[in-house]
């Protein structure tokens, strides 16, 4: 077998591989000998079929396997000896397309090699960790928001008209073609106007009603309504208004705390402070991570595989186009061209991606099965009622697993670098942290 270099420019590599006819024939014979003990053929005992007959019967089929294995073996030997790591799947082409049995097999292999990543002195990295404490004002603000979500309703003054957001307590009877229909009636039903919990157009007609008033509401059921016999039908609801109530925030007290699973108000405040500080820590980490990536980008420089950069630039351009055209859900759109900004961003991403992968490999960073399971479960929550199907889909899809593993691996490498860097803490306000996060989004 011969492997001759034909291209060596930057990270681009090219080789001509020749598998001689004799080597291929030997490979075929080897595979036939291996299979011979299990072959049965009429007129011969199992394992006693002559090699010449085996070759005549199965030679052509085995030839293809032997050819592929020989080429794969030559490629593997090359990568083991050269130390090259292809950035993407090598392109392999057979050059003697008129090949016939007895000829040598000639193929070309081209690829872009991953570059040598320079050593990084992590001790030279200086990071600033922003620290925000959950002060009393922030806790009180969060408490007030909780009280709003736990709102109650109290009766308005007699004769008051219902407003959007009020709760109307009523009896109603729904009729289609003058006949009451099943499930269309209720008593003492509390309906919050503006909640969109009833048929479109229903709640708007109750704005302005008063306690003691009777109101006929006419609406049409949507064409896609779940009840087949009501789809698209016009219905009239005879409503008797019993009470009109205005929303009031819940009292900030021990009773409110118990609604949210705390023993008392002090316990709820402690939970809120803990949650707020966890949110601040997450935001602070995002700011520190951007600072770290900026430093890494300026500290290292090396050649990048052109195809990786081009592919990444294309993906960036494609994603940005869809962000600007959200109404287009599929890929039936004009070809999207990349520009210098896409390429600049792609260059940074590819460089940092290769660097983090190298650092992670050297540090033997691993994503555990437990971490992957947790990530899958977190993702599955986005599909209520289909969590099991999503979990099974991920288990059977290597590409999806890689998409979930990649950010976990990157975060663990970032933590590894931060552990070896010089980190200083700076206490700031919640507002200043918010500005720092917004600055990241603007870039």
């Amino acid at each position: 077998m011969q492997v001759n270099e034909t291209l060596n420019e930057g990270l681009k590599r090219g080789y001509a591989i020749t598998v001689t006819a004799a080597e291929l024939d030997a490979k075929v014979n080897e595979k036939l000998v291996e299979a011979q003990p299990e072959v049965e053929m009429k007129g011969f005992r199992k394992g006693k079929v002559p090699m010449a007959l085996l070759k005549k019967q199965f030679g052509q089929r085995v030839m293809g396997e032997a050819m592929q294995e020989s080429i794969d073996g030559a490629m593997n030997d090359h990568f083991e000896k050269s130390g090259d790591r292809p950035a993407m799947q090598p392109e392999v082409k057979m050059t003697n397309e008129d090949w016939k049995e007895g000829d040598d097999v000639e193929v070309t292999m081209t690829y872009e090699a991953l570059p040598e990543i320079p050593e990084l002195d992590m001790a030279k990295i200086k990071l600033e960790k922003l620290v925000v404490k959950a002060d009393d004002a922030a806790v009180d603000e969060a408490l007030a928001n909780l009280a709003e979500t736990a709102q109650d309703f109290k009766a308005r003054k007699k004769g008051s008209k219902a407003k959007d957001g009020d709760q109307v307590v009523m009896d109603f009877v729904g009729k289609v073609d003058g006949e009451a229909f099943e499930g269309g009636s209720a008593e003492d039903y509390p309906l919050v106007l503006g909640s969109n919990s009833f048929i479109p157009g229903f709640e708007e007609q109750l704005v302005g009603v008063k306690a003691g008033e009777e109101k006929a509401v006419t609406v049409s059921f949507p064409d896609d309504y779940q009840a087949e016999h009501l789809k698209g039908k016009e219905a009239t609801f005879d409503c008797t208004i019993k009470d009109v109530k205005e929303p009031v925030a819940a009292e900030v007290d021990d009773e409110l705390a118990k609604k949210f699973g705390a023993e008392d108000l002090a316990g709820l405040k402690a939970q809120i402070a803990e949650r707020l500080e966890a949110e601040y820590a997450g935001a602070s980490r995002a700011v520190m991570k951007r600072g770290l990536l900026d430093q890494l980008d300026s500290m290292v420089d090396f050649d990048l595989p052109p195809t990786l950069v081009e592919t990444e630039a294309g993906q960036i351009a494609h994603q940005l186009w869809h962000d600007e055209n959200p109404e287009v859900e599929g890929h039936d759109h004009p070809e999207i061209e990349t520009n210098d900004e896409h390429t600049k961003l792609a260059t940074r991403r590819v460089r940092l991606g290769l660097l983090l992968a190298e650092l992670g490999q050297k540090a033997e960073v691993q994503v555990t099965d437990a971490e992957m399971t947790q990530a899958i479960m977190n993702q599955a929550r986005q599909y209520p009622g289909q969590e099991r199907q999503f979990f099974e889909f991920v288990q059977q899809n290597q590409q999806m697993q890689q998409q979930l593993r990649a950010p976990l691996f990157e975060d663990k490498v970032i933590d590894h670098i931060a552990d070896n860097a010089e980190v200083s803490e700076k206490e700031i306000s919640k507002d200043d942290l918010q500005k720092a996060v917004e600055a990241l989004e603007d870039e």
Side-chain angles (χ1 to χ4, degrees):
M1 188 177 301
Q2 300 173 355
V3 179
N4 298 315
E5 186 176 77
T6 59
L7 174 65
N8 191 331
E9 296 177 1
L11 297 174
K12 295 181 179 180
R13 302 285 186 271
Y15 295 88
I17 300 174
T18 301
V19 180
T20 67
E23 290 170 326
L24 193 58
D25 189 58
K27 186 75 173 177
V28 169
N29 289 335
E30 178 187 322
K31 294 180 74 66
L32 290 174
V33 168
E34 185 180 330
Q36 188 179 32
E38 301 300 322
V39 176
E40 294 184 71
M41 192 176 291
K42 190 175 181 180
F44 299 94
R45 285 181 296 164
K46 181 179 180 180
K48 298 299 183 181
V49 179
M51 185 59 64
L53 192 55
L54 279 179
K55 197 165 187 177
K56 181 178 179 181
Q57 183 76 13
F58 302 109
Q60 288 293 324
R61 186 168 63 188
V62 173
M63 179 71 74
E65 296 176 7
M67 191 181 296
Q68 187 63 56
E69 288 181 13
S70 297
I71 295 170
D72 289 345
M75 291 169 58
N76 292 335
D77 287 345
H78 162 72
F79 289 126
E80 188 174 334
K81 292 175 182 176
S82 68
D84 277 355
R85 294 177 296 164
M88 301 179 75
Q89 184 69 25
E91 183 179 355
V92 179
K93 291 182 178 179
M94 190 168 178
T95 55
N96 53 338
E97 295 178 359
D98 56 348
W99 178 89
K100 59 184 181 299
E101 191 171 351
D103 291 346
D104 294 344
V105 176
E106 298 174 359
V107 300
T108 59
M109 174 178 68
T110 56
Y111 62 89
E112 292 172 3
L114 287 174
E116 288 292 325
I117 309 296
E119 288 292 329
L120 181 71
D121 186 356
M122 288 181 278
K124 291 183 178 180
I125 299 173
K126 300 183 186 300
L127 301 173
E128 185 175 67
K129 181 181 180 181
L130 303 179
V131 179
V132 179
K133 299 295 185 183
D135 57 21
D136 291 342
V139 173
D140 289 343
E141 181 183 348
L143 268 174
N145 290 335
L146 280 181
E148 286 289 339
T149 64
Q151 69 178 7
D152 202 350
F153 294 89
K154 71 173 183 179
R156 284 190 177 276
K157 290 181 181 179
K158 187 175 181 180
S160 295
K161 294 182 178 181
K163 301 177 181 178
D164 203 34
D166 283 355
Q167 184 188 76
V168 172
V169 181
M170 61 181 177
D171 297 342
F172 62 84
V173 177
K175 299 177 181 179
V176 172
D177 298 328
E179 296 291 331
F181 58 89
E182 185 178 353
S185 303
E187 295 182 354
D188 296 321
Y189 190 92
L191 174 64
V192 177
L193 303 185
S195 64
N196 297 319
S197 55
F198 266 34
I199 305 165
F202 189 104
E203 295 167 26
E204 292 88 339
Q205 296 181 53
L206 293 179
V207 173
V209 298
K210 303 175 185 177
E213 183 179 343
E214 293 188 355
K215 175 80 172 181
V217 175
T218 301
V219 291
S220 293
F221 284 95
D223 292 334
D224 59 353
Y225 195 69
Q226 62 268 27
E228 190 69 32
H229 66 291
L230 296 176
K231 286 182 177 180
K233 294 288 184 68
E234 184 178 88
T236 298
F237 290 82
D238 296 326
C239 305
T240 300
I241 311 303
K242 292 186 169 181
D243 211 347
V244 174
K245 299 181 178 182
E246 63 179 330
V248 291
E251 292 293 328
V252 179
D253 53 17
D254 289 345
E255 288 304 312
L256 175 67
K258 290 174 182 177
K259 286 183 180 180
F260 289 95
E263 291 187 4
D264 52 27
L265 186 57
L268 180 58
K269 285 185 174 181
Q271 289 179 14
I272 290 173
E274 184 178 343
R275 176 177 59 80
L276 287 175
E277 292 194 354
E279 291 177 2
Y280 298 155
S284 173
R285 188 183 189 283
V287 174
M288 187 175 74
K289 178 179 177 180
R290 173 61 66 84
L292 171 57
L293 294 177
D294 287 345
Q295 284 191 58
L296 293 177
D297 193 35
S298 64
M299 290 174 70
V300 296
D301 190 23
F302 47 87
D303 291 336
L304 301 177
T307 303
L308 277 186
V309 176
E310 291 168 9
T311 301
E312 183 67 24
Q315 291 174 349
I316 291 170
H318 192 265
Q319 182 60 54
L320 290 176
W321 189 91
H322 276 284
D323 290 345
E324 295 170 359
N325 300 273
E327 71 281 0
V328 182
E329 295 183 359
H331 300 289
D332 185 17
H333 51 66
E335 184 177 349
I336 301 168
E337 295 185 2
T338 58
N339 57 35
D340 290 343
E341 284 300 312
H342 300 144
T343 301
K344 181 179 178 182
L345 181 55
T347 299
R348 172 186 163 99
R349 286 189 183 178
V350 171
R351 181 185 296 116
L352 290 174
L354 293 176
L355 175 61
L356 293 176
E358 182 76 5
L359 293 174
Q361 184 178 17
K362 287 181 177 179
E364 298 183 347
V365 172
Q366 297 289 333
V367 175
T368 66
D369 290 342
E371 289 167 337
M372 273 296 292
T373 299
Q374 186 62 51
I376 296 172
M377 290 174 64
N378 291 341
Q379 193 83 359
R381 292 192 184 99
Q382 297 181 22
Y383 307 94
Q386 298 179 308
E387 291 88 349
R388 183 179 181 84
Q389 294 94 315
F390 179 82
F391 204 92
E392 292 174 350
F393 166 73
V394 174
Q395 285 182 319
Q396 298 167 10
N397 191 307
Q398 289 291 331
Q399 185 177 358
M400 190 66 182
Q401 289 178 33
Q402 182 55 31
Q403 289 178 6
L404 292 173
R405 181 179 285 106
L408 297 177
F409 177 82
E410 180 179 291
D411 280 345
K412 296 187 81 168
V413 176
I414 292 292
D415 289 340
H416 166 70
I417 299 171
D419 289 342
N420 289 276
E422 181 182 326
V423 182
S424 60
E425 292 189 354
K426 179 182 179 181
E427 190 165 332
I428 63 171
S429 68
K430 178 185 72 171
D431 290 341
D432 286 340
L433 178 60
Q434 180 64 31
K435 290 177 183 176
V437 172
E438 290 173 354
L440 296 184
E441 296 170 352
D442 291 339
E443 292 181 8

